[in-house]
Amino acid sequence: MRTGLARIGHGLLPSEQAWSQTLSRATNTKPPQFYRLRTSPNRVLALRLRARNEDQKQRFRSAFRKIANIRGGRLPVLTFQALLATQDLSKEKSLAAAIAKKTPADWTDTFNSLAGKGWSKDQFDHWVWIVSGEDGDARVARFISTQDPKPLFLLFLLLRNDEMYREPKSLDLLIRYISKHYLTLPPPPTLSRSQPSPTRYPTVSQFIILLRRLIHHARDLHPPFVITVACLIVDYIKSIPNDPHHTRRTTSYVHQCIVYNTALIGFMRPSPNLPLTHMELNWRAQKILLAMSNDLKRPLIIEKRSYQAIRGVLVGLKKSRAERAVALRYAKSWPPYRQDFDGRDTKRTIEDDRSRSVKAGVLMKEAGYPDDDYDRALDALGGMSEGSPTIQTRSLPPKQWADEDEKLNVYSFWAMRVRATRNAQEAWRVFNAFAQTTGLAPNFQVYNEMFLKLQAFPVDPDSGSDPLPGDLRESFPVHDANYSQYEIARLSPPTVSELYTEMINRGIRPGGHGLHNLITHARSVEEGLRYLHDSGMPSETVESIAVFRRPPHSVLWKIPLLSFGSYIKLLCRLHPNRKGSEMISHYELQLIHHAIMLVSMRLTPDRTEGVTFRPPWHSILRALARNNIAIKNGPAVENDLEALALFMKTLQSARKCIGVDAELFMLLCRVIQKAARSRLISLPETAHVQAALVPDHQELLSLTTSIFTQLTTPAVEDMPTSVPVLQLQFPLVPPHLHAYMRALAFLEARDEMVNLVSWMMDNYEHVDEEANRTNRGHAMIAKTFCAFHAFAGPAMDEDVQKALVSRMDRLIAEGGHWRWPTAQEVESYVHSDARGGSQALRRKIILARAQRGDLRDEDRHFLEVGTCT
């Protein structure tokens, strides 16, 4: 009896559907069309997902039409066409006509062809459902809603660089998916003969694309994820010998080296959010790769660019203990060459004084790579000048010119020599000496660094942070006591205006970070607009953003984003402070309102830049939280309450675009303190006890505590790899905790103050690590405890106090080094507030306790001291 099987070629095709697909391929006279397109179908599909309005759809209409008319079996093309079939194309007649040409019979043939490749119609419909998600987070949630493997083009689509995610969990889910489906592990001995299908796994070139995109999103969305990505890359490198794409061990080693070096280079790029702070995470990621290579039987080869990437990360780190000791020895000499001051110094070798970046450069030379101008630029930042160790300058990596422009790296070297100076006078000396030695004229890079030195603020000797040269952008004092007035005048650098005129006369336009710095520090709005015009921006565009002008959206979007942010920062900086009873002009009072209007027009939630670019919002809210800012002509109390109201209105707009972050939280705490302090000081003492310090204080308290809860909730609960950092999207450092404690005190939220102290103790390791990374972090922790005792202590129940003391004792017994402040330290903290807010608040709290008849001896002492003073 014959079975219902048909023998075709070498395989048996059971079922009527299989026979149908075979017949479809055999009778189709039209060969598959795989056009060589200038824009890939995956890119066109991405453009379609980004096109949210008619203008954007019209801009890419020709690309959409071209892909819609293709008849072929490429998965991105088919997905694009199916996506169009689900959309309203009533305003896109040409696309609607192209999609209508594809008949149900054509789709049937398409699905039969997909079945021959192992994909079903249900799976195809699922892909269309995935790409139909309203935003990146929704598409990722749909992508991982089923456990079956998806085609690579979908993963590339979700990880494209212009995709935007609001939730770190989305990136975490994609990393888990890649780890599960695309990393091949050594097969068990019993299954060593069975090899997985190569079509399921990405090739090395494809994985490199994934690697770069993962690093990009990790850096922008949640910097701690770079460590997780590094661990994923390590697993992939180890799996390469078992990858079915490889048939020879030699190619496996070469590909391991390619992936390894690509990752080292990728981890050099800084995060856009607090780039120097997050450089430590980049270094951890690179160390994971270096440790993996060192453990292999045959260590992987480090290329020259990878050495440069390592050095670029190392110059961005805080000085180590050894590097700081070297800097302390040479801080007062210029150039800070190596000198022997005592017997211990004579025993030290040159290697002992080298920074980590310089040591990496020595290893590069020992590996056989010659140094070039870019390496010498890194030497200047790392603390090596003319063969002698100097002081490391903490900095982001310098600009690296490549290919035919590689010879321009000499300007990067020159610019870094200028950057690695202590003040404008020394920078001007280097600026001129390099030109005389080489015979070159400075370019925009060198001018930019000189502008930064001229506009740097002097270092504050009373800050208590004990900064060293190279730690900050601030200018250090000039040691010219032995110079004559003539010599001082001869060595003095030019003014910003004089240097700018010289640069323009040379035909060099302002650009890069130098342009942004010039705009930010301009003396007037008109001067800032002049810099924009000189940079090459059209006159009509520049004029459209002047004060009292409302530019069209099409013109506003033509302004480069960083230049736009610098202009907003200028408007906020020039907005005036109160001047006693002196009246402030309407023009000056409009500056911050004009900034808010421009930002609200440019940065909208429906655009990528609107949900990712934070600095303009920070600039506006920082200005509103500034002490003495003038919002209206009137008393200080009215001004501060008006500033609080405008702050809350602007914060609501900012949250719709960028959500919340640690900086916004800090500014919210500051503006609450400012308004409450101003009102408290203005009230007579008889009204202190019952008066609410800020309007709608319950709403403010609810908002502040909810933001704190949001920021302290881990971005992801558990990671596929061990990450030595608390997974907070925006980590709170000690200054944030201190500001939050004071804001709670002025909101009279004693229970929330207790909760904050409990959270700090529960997360001791995280808070202590952030204190180590933050300037004067441990001092801010001590101030936070002082604020707690000063403002919550007088009203705290004894049982609560005993419980907190017991918890602190357990923490100390477990090795912690925190402690409660003494009564004298608390009193010093209260009286150190130059604006009087702490004294007035503590007096209000004690008076309230006195009304209840529960006054303690130390409270009576405080009231007596306050009365005497």
Side-chain angles (χ1 to χ4, degrees):
M1 186 174 180
R2 296 182 63 183
T3 61
L5 298 177
R7 183 173 293 274
I8 302 295
H10 298 286
L12 294 177
L13 300 179
S15 81
E16 182 178 347
Q17 179 183 0
W19 171 251
S20 175
Q21 79 176 48
T22 305
L23 183 63
S24 174
R25 291 198 303 268
T27 59
N28 188 3
T29 59
K30 194 173 184 180
Q33 300 181 28
F34 297 97
Y35 295 107
R36 298 179 67 88
L37 301 169
R38 294 180 61 183
T39 305
S40 71
N42 218 30
R43 177 59 178 163
V44 176
L45 180 55
L47 291 174
R48 186 67 187 183
L49 297 180
R50 289 182 57 192
R52 295 179 176 270
N53 54 56
E54 295 303 321
D55 290 339
Q56 293 172 334
K57 292 177 181 178
Q58 288 296 322
R59 188 184 314 166
F60 306 116
R61 179 177 53 189
S62 60
F64 295 158
R65 187 167 54 242
K66 183 176 295 185
I67 302 300
N69 283 298
I70 291 178
R71 295 294 177 262
R74 297 174 69 174
L75 297 184
V77 172
L78 297 175
T79 305
F80 176 81
Q81 294 170 348
L83 176 66
L84 289 182
T86 65
Q87 296 180 343
D88 179 13
L89 302 178
S90 58
K91 296 182 180 180
E92 300 173 276
K93 303 298 185 182
S94 59
L95 284 183
I99 296 302
K101 290 179 182 179
K102 196 157 186 175
T103 64
D106 293 331
W107 283 111
T108 300
D109 285 344
T110 295
F111 296 139
N112 290 336
S113 177
L114 288 177
K117 300 175 183 178
W119 304 110
S120 67
K121 180 181 182 301
D122 290 340
Q123 289 176 309
F124 179 79
D125 291 339
H126 185 65
W127 307 339
V128 178
W129 178 68
I130 290 172
V131 300
S132 301
E134 60 183 6
D135 55 32
D137 296 305
R139 285 189 279 271
V140 170
R142 294 182 178 189
F143 183 82
I144 55 90
S145 62
T146 59
Q147 297 299 317
D148 59 309
K150 315 294 191 303
L152 275 171
F153 88 91
L154 275 180
L155 186 61
F156 286 133
L157 181 69
L158 296 181
L159 280 173
R160 67 188 191 277
N161 287 346
D162 59 1
E163 180 62 283
M164 56 183 182
Y165 301 117
R166 290 178 178 269
E167 299 295 333
K169 185 179 180 180
S170 298
L171 186 58
D172 170 48
L173 292 172
L174 290 177
I175 293 175
R176 292 173 187 269
Y177 175 87
I178 295 171
S179 178
K180 178 179 179 180
H181 292 285
Y182 295 145
L183 296 186
T184 55
L185 300 176
T190 57
L191 302 175
S192 59
R193 293 185 179 180
S194 62
Q195 290 292 332
S197 171
T199 58
R200 176 179 172 181
Y201 300 96
T203 63
V204 169
S205 59
Q206 290 172 328
F207 185 82
I208 286 175
I209 296 175
L210 292 177
L211 175 159
R212 288 171 173 159
R213 294 184 180 182
L214 284 172
I215 294 176
H216 169 82
H217 285 292
R219 188 178 64 241
D220 290 3
L221 181 65
H222 188 47
F225 270 153
V226 297
I227 302 173
T228 309
V229 175
C231 295
L232 179 73
I233 295 169
V234 166
D235 292 339
Y236 179 77
I237 290 175
K238 292 179 179 179
S239 76
I240 285 179
N242 304 306
D243 193 318
H245 290 290
H246 297 101
T247 57
R248 295 180 300 171
R249 187 171 299 276
T250 54
T251 60
S252 296
Y253 180 76
V254 171
H255 286 157
Q256 284 178 314
C257 291
I258 292 173
V259 176
Y260 176 66
N261 285 280
T262 302
L264 287 174
I265 295 169
F267 287 127
M268 179 180 72
R269 295 198 58 184
S271 168
N273 180 38
L274 302 176
L276 282 178
T277 301
H278 290 136
M279 268 299 180
E280 180 186 350
L281 300 175
N282 293 35
W283 174 230
R284 291 188 191 185
Q286 287 184 335
K287 284 197 297 184
I288 290 172
L289 293 168
L290 294 170
M292 177 273 301
S293 175
N294 191 54
D295 291 339
L296 296 177
K297 293 182 180 178
R298 185 183 179 187
L300 302 178
I301 297 172
I302 304 178
E303 297 175 354
K304 179 175 181 177
R305 284 198 61 198
S306 299
Y307 275 112
Q308 292 172 337
I310 294 170
R311 299 187 66 193
V313 170
L314 289 174
V315 296
L317 302 181
K318 291 178 65 175
K319 292 182 177 70
S320 65
R321 183 174 298 179
E323 290 166 344
R324 190 166 182 83
V326 172
L328 282 170
R329 300 293 285 167
Y330 307 142
K332 291 186 178 181
S333 63
W334 183 259
Y337 293 137
R338 172 183 170 83
Q339 301 177 55
D340 294 335
F341 294 100
D342 53 35
R344 289 176 298 177
D345 287 340
T346 59
K347 296 180 180 180
R348 294 175 60 85
T349 64
I350 293 180
E351 290 74 16
D352 294 331
D353 288 348
R354 287 173 175 164
S355 68
R356 289 167 289 180
S357 178
V358 172
K359 290 177 181 177
V362 172
L363 291 176
M364 183 195 73
K365 294 178 184 178
E366 292 177 352
Y369 299 111
D371 60 352
D372 53 26
D373 285 322
Y374 188 74
D375 295 305
R376 286 185 278 276
L378 291 169
D379 280 342
L381 294 176
M384 177 64 70
S385 177
E386 300 178 7
S388 176
T390 60
I391 297 174
Q392 175 185 346
T393 300
R394 191 182 186 190
S395 168
L396 296 178
K399 179 178 179 60
Q400 185 171 15
W401 300 90
D403 301 326
E404 64 272 7
D405 294 329
E406 187 175 1
K407 61 186 179 191
L408 297 179
N409 280 322
V410 66
Y411 293 103
S412 296
F413 175 36
W414 189 352
M416 295 307 103
R417 287 284 304 275
V418 173
R419 182 181 295 183
T421 55
R422 295 176 298 179
N423 49 56
Q425 186 185 79
E426 294 169 356
W428 182 241
R429 193 185 313 170
V430 172
F431 183 95
N432 290 318
F434 199 97
Q436 294 171 0
T437 303
T438 61
L440 296 173
N443 74 340
F444 73 96
Q445 286 178 265
V446 184
Y447 276 113
N448 285 349
E449 293 301 327
M450 195 63 224
F451 283 128
L452 289 175
K453 286 295 179 181
L454 291 173
Q455 295 176 320
F457 294 105
V459 66
D460 183 7
D462 300 326
S463 64
S465 57
D466 193 24
L468 288 171
D471 287 348
L472 307 168
R473 280 286 191 182
E474 280 79 0
S475 178
F476 282 75
V478 178
H479 301 286
D480 54 5
N482 296 328
Y483 291 171
S484 65
Q485 293 298 319
Y486 171 80
E487 189 66 10
I488 292 175
R490 187 181 69 84
L491 297 176
S492 296
T495 64
V496 172
S497 298
E498 292 170 344
L499 187 66
Y500 184 79
T501 301
E502 175 191 319
M503 183 184 73
I504 295 297
N505 291 338
R506 288 181 181 269
I508 301 175
R509 286 181 172 180
H513 66 272
L515 169 64
H516 308 145
N517 192 69
L518 285 170
I519 296 171
T520 300
H521 292 89
R523 293 167 294 182
S524 65
V525 175
E526 291 73 23
E527 184 175 295
L529 294 175
R530 176 199 168 195
Y531 292 140
L532 284 172
H533 181 269
D534 290 346
S535 69
M537 191 177 297
S539 300
E540 57 274 13
T541 303
V542 175
E543 293 171 0
S544 69
I545 60 174
V547 182
F548 299 122
R549 300 287 296 273
R550 187 180 182 88
H553 286 86
S554 58
V555 174
L556 193 60
W557 288 329
K558 293 179 181 179
I559 303 175
L561 201 55
L562 294 178
S563 297
F564 175 77
S566 301
Y567 181 64
I568 297 301
K569 192 173 183 179
L570 170 66
L571 293 173
C572 296
R573 184 180 67 82
L574 294 179
H575 192 91
N577 288 337
R578 297 191 303 273
K579 304 174 183 178
S581 59
E582 182 180 344
M583 297 293 290
I584 299 173
S585 69
H586 178 62
Y587 174 87
E588 291 180 288
L589 291 176
Q590 283 300 307
L591 292 181
I592 196 139
H593 295 282
H594 185 61
I596 294 172
M597 183 268 292
L598 291 177
V599 172
S600 299
M601 291 179 63
R602 172 73 184 263
L603 303 179
T604 54
D606 60 336
R607 296 176 63 88
T608 302
E609 62 184 25
V611 299
T612 58
F613 193 54
R614 301 174 177 272
W617 293 113
H618 290 169
S619 297
I620 293 171
L621 296 175
R622 189 178 299 112
L624 291 172
R626 191 174 72 209
N627 289 313
N628 300 320
I629 187 172
I631 304 299
K632 57 186 292 187
N633 285 305
V637 179
E638 294 181 9
N639 255 291
D640 291 338
L641 292 177
E642 190 76 20
L644 174 62
L646 185 57
F647 183 101
M648 299 306 297
K649 183 179 178 180
T650 308
L651 178 63
Q652 184 178 7
S653 300
R655 293 182 68 185
K656 292 179 181 178
C657 294
I658 60 174
V660 296
D661 58 34
E663 181 68 11
L664 294 185
F665 178 68
M666 165 81 89
L667 297 174
L668 174 62
C669 293
R670 286 181 181 175
V671 78
I672 290 172
Q673 291 180 58
K674 181 181 71 169
R677 179 185 64 235
S678 180
R679 176 168 168 76
L680 178 61
I681 293 176
S682 67
L683 289 174
E685 185 171 302
T686 54
H688 275 190
V689 177
Q690 301 298 330
L693 299 184
V694 289
D696 303 322
H697 75 283
Q698 283 297 335
E699 289 80 359
L700 280 175
L701 176 61
S702 177
L703 174 65
T704 308
T705 54
S706 66
I707 292 178
F708 177 77
T709 301
Q710 183 177 347
L711 293 177
T712 53
T713 300
V716 288
E717 294 299 331
D718 60 315
M719 297 296 297
T721 55
S722 177
V723 181
V725 289
L726 188 62
Q727 289 297 315
L728 303 181
Q729 185 176 7
F730 300 103
L732 298 179
V733 297
H736 297 117
L737 301 177
H738 179 243
Y740 182 45
M741 182 68 78
R742 288 184 60 86
L744 292 175
F746 279 100
L747 291 172
E748 301 175 274
R750 184 184 68 249
D751 292 341
E752 295 298 334
M753 297 174 72
V754 173
N755 291 340
L756 174 56
V757 171
S758 299
W759 181 87
M760 291 174 63
M761 292 183 180
D762 291 340
N763 296 275
Y764 169 80
E765 292 183 359
H766 164 71
V767 177
D768 191 58
E769 181 182 357
E770 293 295 339
N772 290 329
R773 297 171 57 190
T774 308
N775 187 29
R776 301 189 71 242
H778 291 288
M780 295 305 296
I781 293 293
K783 284 189 173 184
T784 304
F785 286 131
C786 285
F788 175 73
H789 265 272
F791 307 129
M796 194 187 312
D797 296 333
E798 288 189 10
D799 55 344
V800 175
Q801 189 169 6
K802 290 180 180 179
L804 290 176
V805 170
S806 177
R807 291 194 63 180
M808 181 66 81
D809 291 341
R810 289 199 304 270
L811 182 64
I812 295 174
E814 293 170 358
H817 53 264
W818 291 351
R819 63 173 178 83
W820 294 117
T822 64
Q824 184 178 1
E825 289 171 336
V826 172
E827 187 172 347
S828 297
Y829 170 80
V830 172
H831 289 286
S832 65
D833 187 351
R835 299 184 181 275
S838 297
Q839 299 93 314
L841 179 60
R842 183 167 169 83
R843 188 173 186 83
K844 169 182 168 63
I845 296 171
I846 292 176
L847 288 175
R849 190 180 181 97
Q851 283 190 354
R852 298 194 302 267
D854 188 18
L855 204 61
R856 295 177 296 191
D857 292 340
E858 58 266 28
D859 297 335
R860 291 190 180 91
H861 175 71
F862 179 85
L863 292 176
E864 292 171 0
V865 171
T867 302
C868 294
T869 55

